[in-house]
Amino acid sequence: MDLIVPVVTVVNLILAIGGAALGIFAAVDAVSRRSDAFAAADKQTKGTWAGITVACAVALGLGFFGGAFAPQSLLWLAGLTGSLVYLLDVRPRLREVQRGGRW
């Protein structure tokens, strides 16, 4: 019992730091993209994705305080999901549209 609590605390801290960094990166990336790239990539508008990623960054950042936003809680996981959807689905399409085709 004496070893489990510190390990869980460290894991929660690592998840909170990683989640907050991921959320901030996604929000900054969404805000810094051009508005017309979102339309060209057939995604929601820039305002929509900026709002989603900023809200997710806030939820992930609140993971440091525990409670309803503690890592592995439902709200924290929802924030993580929103940030990952942007980073793994929307961002690659935006980069492709802004750079043009590979050929």
Side-chain angles (χ1 to χ4, degrees), residues 19-33 53 57 86-87 91:
L22 185 83
I24 290 169
F25 176 75
V28 168
D29 188 75
V31 170
S32 67
R33 298 285 175 180
T53 55
Y86 174 79
L87 291 173
R91 185 172 184 259

Side-chain angles (χ1 to χ4, degrees), residues 20 44 69:
Q44 293 291 324
F69 292 98

Side-chain angles (χ1 to χ4, degrees), residues 11-26:
V11 168
N12 280 338
L13 181 64
I14 291 170
L15 286 172
I17 291 170
L22 185 83
I24 290 169
F25 176 75

